[in-house]
Amino acid sequence: MPEPLKKETRYMPGLDGLRALALIGVMCYHWGFDFAPGGFLGVSIFFVLSGYLITDILASQWRNYGRLDLKDFWYRRFRRLLPAMFTMLIIVVTWVTLFDHTRLSSLRTDVAAAVTYISNWQFIFQDVSYFESFGPPSPLGHMWSLAVEEQFYLLWPLIMLIGLYVFPRRGQMLYFIVALAGISAITMALIYEPGSDPSRVYFGTDTRAFSLLIGAALAIVWPSFKRPSTTSSMVRIGLDTIGTAALFLVIYMMWSTDRYEESLYQGGMVILSLASAVVVAILAHPASILGKIMGTRPLRWIGVRSYGIYLWHYPVLILTSPNGSPIENSLLHTSLQIAVSILLAALSWKYIENPIRHGALKVLWQKIRHPQWRLDRMSLKSCIITCSTLFVIGIFCAGMMTSISGATTEQDTESAFGVISPPEEPVTTPEQMSPDTPDTPVPNKNSGQSSPDSPDLNKQPTEIPETPVNKPTQKEPNAELPPSNTEKPGTDKVPDKTPSEGNSNKPTQNPSVKLPSPQSGKSITAIGDSVMLGVAPYLEKQLPGIQIDAKIGRQLAQVGELIPGLQAKGRLNGTVIIGLGTNGSFSSKKLESLLDSLSSAKQVILINTRVPRDWERNVNNTLAEVSQNYPNTTLVDWHAASENHPEYFTPDRVHLKPAGAEAYTGLLLKAILK
């Protein structure tokens, strides 16, 4: 049996600095910081780095020994990655078992996918969104990128081995890798559907491989062993100038790119990957000043522990944030989460990752095979560590084996989606529907990473209060309907007082006024998602004959397929209500296309959204801007009307309790009657 091949590449500290930059971008995105909307692109930097370093190692082996020791290569990869990951998984499952056991049913599947490194394909086949997930999101939602990298580690050495035999010359091998990268990039552009959720192309190994392959191509033309440690000042200046420009481009894209930009999936990520490859090339050069700057101690410290920080930060964020979203976290809360993530990663590096890299597993195996200790000679520290480890592993096993039924009763399911029976009395209009409430959306600065139409049914069933909704006041039997607040948007005016502030002598309850008797809804069609589904009984009671087409998880991009059938039935000539945006953003072009197809409608009512996710602002701004250009379109501002009314919402803060369904329906009725 041939001896394992030694690593023939040198340490390049600047690359650890680049790892730190990529990690900071990803963490900023996950915590929803407004200044880093493109922080998720840090994953592409990780891919380029991995492609370069792995191919550099393999090419070095081939150059020095004329063969690839695949067994040794895979062993080193697994030894580097698996221990820290298993530790994280065990502790996460233990935490969930002890403190949040309602997650266990779905978590078991996520753990199995993480262990087998197929998380990205699991998310694709289960139609899980990276950008528009709700519900709470899985604490293992970040494992998809590690799955892509591990799949590359498994397959690329085999592909490269074949390529080295078929294409022995460096130029031929380069063309081979570039061709594979081109196929991957073209696949992303072809599969991506503008205006739709891009998660399929974002998760797919086939559509993300180009970043890894661009790094691999760089290793062929720019191997680390060939870079001289000294060079002329002109060459050094040229290298640093090019590297700095490429680094600024990478940072600009990470700090300015919106995840819904169509160009991002039609060449934008390729540009980012190429720029990252240029930065890697310069940082890999020992004479580069930029490499020394990026290799400073703080960045290097983060970069060395970047794998552990990446592993830990997302579970910490999800498991310690309300509903798994950092949108309402205070600065102190977020700071503590980040500090805990770094602390856990530092402990993992010191006591697990680094010792195992230096042979701790072999020492442990020898002790197990040839025990030379006795129980009575064990130190107190060893006893505590052993007992604690066994206890945690026991809880992990119990959590993974516990049978938790994911089924819910029909009543529970309906409650979870806010589908509730309407009150017997006519729908009432609460105080916040005053004429002073503007129709333009109030921009929401909330931003968070984690579609509300798919709340977790394994979570505690949404409780619907048994108390009846407020009945109309009888002070004025013939009270008239207040003027509608659904005038055309087009002003940035914001009320001086929020709806809940009122006057100094504000009542203890929102006063109500009686709406007119139910009217015919035969000429009205409503299209929406689960929020619309929840208020359907109210609309059907108040507008007999209304046709409601509401579906859990519906996106605006899916409405186009409904239009021909509704037109054939003559359902688009009267009033059309569109209540979408709960499950994700959409482009202005998509909305304009939908409104163009509704040109025959006498009235189109768009209702904006309230959802504690970072696409809320995008959705509401798009609705406000586009609706101004269509004379037959009215914008109903549910976002403003529901401000400061937590009693309207179920615990997910999206779906409605009876009081919220009543208010939502009243707001729509005012727009229809006007």
Side-chain angles (χ1 to χ4, degrees):
M1 177 179 177
E3 291 295 323
L5 305 182
K6 295 182 179 180
K7 183 177 178 181
E8 297 292 337
T9 57
R10 60 182 174 82
Y11 175 60
M12 295 165 276
L15 298 187
D16 276 330
L18 185 59
R19 280 196 186 94
L21 176 65
L23 176 66
I24 291 171
V26 172
M27 293 177 68
C28 288
Y29 175 77
H30 284 163
W31 261 281
F33 296 150
D34 289 338
F35 60 81
F40 63 93
L41 294 174
V43 173
S44 295
I45 301 176
F46 284 134
F47 287 167
V48 174
L49 275 167
S50 295
Y52 177 77
L53 293 172
I54 294 304
T55 306
D56 194 44
I57 292 172
L58 294 173
S60 177
Q61 286 187 359
W62 183 265
R63 181 183 65 256
N64 294 329
Y65 301 96
R67 62 186 177 89
L68 301 181
D69 189 342
L70 300 182
K71 180 180 177 181
D72 179 69
F73 172 80
W74 285 326
Y75 169 74
R76 290 175 181 272
R77 289 294 90 205
F78 288 135
R79 185 182 65 181
R80 175 68 184 93
L81 300 176
L82 291 181
M85 184 190 73
F86 281 140
T87 302
M88 182 273 293
L89 292 177
I90 290 173
I91 293 178
V92 166
V93 173
T94 301
W95 174 280
V96 171
T97 302
L98 294 175
F99 305 110
D100 194 5
H101 65 275
T102 55
R103 291 178 181 265
L104 276 177
S105 181
S106 59
L107 188 62
R108 285 199 298 271
T109 303
D110 295 338
V111 169
V115 169
T116 53
Y117 286 107
I118 58 170
S119 294
N120 62 322
W121 293 108
Q122 175 210 5
F123 295 156
I124 289 172
F125 292 133
Q126 292 184 352
D127 200 24
V128 174
S129 173
Y130 177 74
F131 300 104
E132 299 166 357
S133 58
F134 190 82
S138 169
L140 303 180
H142 64 317
M143 297 299 292
W144 74 270
S145 64
L146 300 180
V148 172
E149 290 207 31
E150 191 62 28
Q151 292 161 28
F152 178 78
Y153 298 154
L154 288 173
L155 297 176
W156 180 240
L158 297 174
I159 296 173
M160 188 172 176
L161 182 61
I162 296 172
L164 289 170
Y165 278 111
V166 177
F167 307 108
R169 301 181 62 180
R170 179 181 299 181
Q172 294 174 331
M173 189 66 184
L174 175 64
Y175 294 146
F176 171 64
I177 296 175
V178 170
L180 293 178
I183 292 172
S184 174
I186 292 172
T187 301
M188 170 179 274
L190 292 177
I191 295 179
Y192 171 66
E193 297 180 9
S196 65
D197 181 10
S199 292
R200 164 60 185 91
V201 296
Y202 191 79
F203 283 142
T205 308
D206 53 342
T207 52
R208 296 304 300 271
F210 62 82
S211 296
L212 291 152
L213 293 169
I214 287 173
L218 176 64
I220 298 298
V221 299
W222 194 268
S224 61
F225 83 96
K226 276 196 171 183
R227 302 308 108 201
S229 58
T230 58
T231 186
S232 66
S233 58
M234 290 299 295
V235 171
R236 184 183 299 110
I237 292 173
L239 288 173
D240 289 328
T241 301
I242 295 173
T244 301
L247 181 60
F248 274 117
L249 176 59
V250 169
I251 294 174
Y252 172 78
M253 293 186 70
M254 290 176 62
W255 262 252
S256 65
T257 303
D258 187 274
R259 63 187 184 274
Y260 296 109
E261 289 184 17
E262 297 178 4
S263 60
L264 185 63
Y265 308 98
Q266 298 173 335
M269 281 195 182
V270 176
I271 294 174
L272 176 84
S273 299
L274 290 172
S276 300
V278 172
V279 176
V280 170
I282 303 306
L283 297 181
H285 200 293
S288 169
I289 296 177
L290 181 62
K292 293 179 175 61
I293 295 174
M294 292 294 292
T296 53
R297 189 171 181 179
L299 288 176
R300 194 169 70 248
W301 191 93
I302 296 174
V304 167
R305 294 158 183 80
S306 59
Y307 175 62
I309 298 174
Y310 183 84
L311 276 178
W312 283 106
H313 86 280
Y314 199 69
V316 169
L317 185 158
I318 297 302
L319 295 176
T320 62
S321 296
N323 296 312
S325 171
I327 192 170
E328 293 183 350
N329 287 359
S330 65
L331 178 61
L332 177 61
H333 190 166
T334 297
S335 300
L336 289 174
Q337 288 178 325
I338 295 174
V340 168
S341 303
I342 296 174
L343 175 61
L344 289 171
L347 293 173
S348 174
W349 171 257
K350 182 175 181 179
Y351 295 108
I352 298 173
E353 299 171 58
N354 202 36
I356 289 176
R357 288 175 67 237
H358 292 88
L361 285 179
K362 289 183 179 180
V363 174
L364 179 62
W365 178 244
Q366 291 298 324
K367 288 183 177 181
I368 294 175
R369 291 186 60 188
H370 307 288
Q372 297 178 355
W373 47 267
R374 288 173 22 189
L375 184 61
D376 59 349
R377 295 182 181 176
M378 290 181 65
S379 65
L380 178 61
K381 178 180 177 181
S382 299
C383 288
I384 293 174
I385 293 175
T386 302
C387 292
S388 300
T389 302
L390 292 175
F391 176 73
V392 171
I393 293 175
I395 296 177
F396 169 81
C397 295
M400 293 300 293
M401 296 176 64
T402 299
S403 175
I404 296 181
S405 172
T408 58
T409 63
E410 182 177 355
Q411 181 179 358
D412 289 338
T413 303
E414 290 180 347
S415 297
F417 292 114
V419 182
I420 47 184
S421 300
E424 295 300 323
E425 299 295 333
V427 179
T428 58
T429 305
E431 181 185 47
Q432 79 277 7
M433 298 180 193
S434 66
D436 296 331
T437 303
D439 296 315
T440 53
V442 179
N444 189 345
K445 295 187 71 174
N446 292 339
S447 181
Q449 155 50 22
S450 283
S451 64
D453 271 1
S454 303
D456 190 353
L457 296 183
N458 295 315
K459 197 179 170 184
Q460 294 179 355
T462 304
E463 297 180 1
I464 302 299
E466 297 180 358
T467 56
V469 296
N470 295 335
K471 297 184 179 181
T473 57
Q474 301 298 326
K475 293 195 300 183
E476 297 181 26
N478 298 320
E480 295 181 357
L481 182 69
S484 172
N485 69 331
T486 54
E487 299 174 0
K488 292 290 294 179
T491 174
D492 293 331
K493 180 181 178 182
V494 179
D496 295 330
K497 296 182 179 181
T498 61
S500 62
E501 289 173 347
N503 300 322
S504 59
N505 58 344
K506 62 180 180 180
T508 56
Q509 292 184 350
N510 289 331
S512 304
V513 292
K514 186 174 182 180
L515 287 176
S517 301
Q519 301 185 14
S520 173
K522 292 182 178 180
S523 63
I524 301 175
T525 300
I527 301 172
D529 45 40
S530 65
V531 174
M532 183 73 71
L533 188 65
V535 301
Y538 288 76
L539 290 173
E540 290 169 346
K541 179 178 178 61
Q542 202 67 24
L543 298 168
I546 185 175
Q547 178 170 328
I548 300 176
D549 191 326
K551 180 181 178 183
I552 295 170
R554 175 170 285 161
Q555 299 266 14
L556 185 135
Q558 300 169 326
V559 176
E561 61 193 30
L562 303 176
I563 300 301
L566 293 172
Q567 283 179 333
K569 296 177 181 179
R571 298 294 313 184
L572 301 182
N573 297 324
T575 298
V576 179
I577 303 171
I578 303 293
L580 294 165
T582 306
N583 301 290
S585 187
F586 43 80
S587 65
S588 297
K589 291 182 180 179
K590 280 289 181 182
L591 181 58
E592 290 168 353
S593 176
L594 174 61
L595 294 179
D596 288 340
S597 68
L598 299 176
S599 58
S600 62
K602 180 180 179 181
Q603 181 188 32
V604 177
I605 297 176
L606 300 177
I607 184 162
N608 66 16
T609 190
R610 175 168 290 280
V611 53
R613 294 296 183 266
D614 59 347
W615 61 84
E616 176 194 74
R617 179 172 51 184
N618 195 356
V619 166
N620 292 345
N621 288 342
T622 300
L623 289 170
E625 293 169 4
V626 174
S627 63
Q628 298 181 63
N629 302 323
Y630 290 82
N632 67 335
T633 300
T634 300
L635 179 63
V636 172
D637 195 351
W638 170 243
H639 183 273
S642 58
E643 184 76 27
N644 298 322
H645 285 283
E647 72 277 8
Y648 286 175
F649 299 97
T650 60
D652 65 13
R653 295 177 292 162
V654 176
H655 300 92
L656 305 178
K657 292 181 178 180
E662 184 182 45
Y664 190 98
T665 302
L667 203 61
L668 281 175
L669 288 176
K670 285 172 36 177
I672 294 171
L673 293 175
K674 180 180 178 181

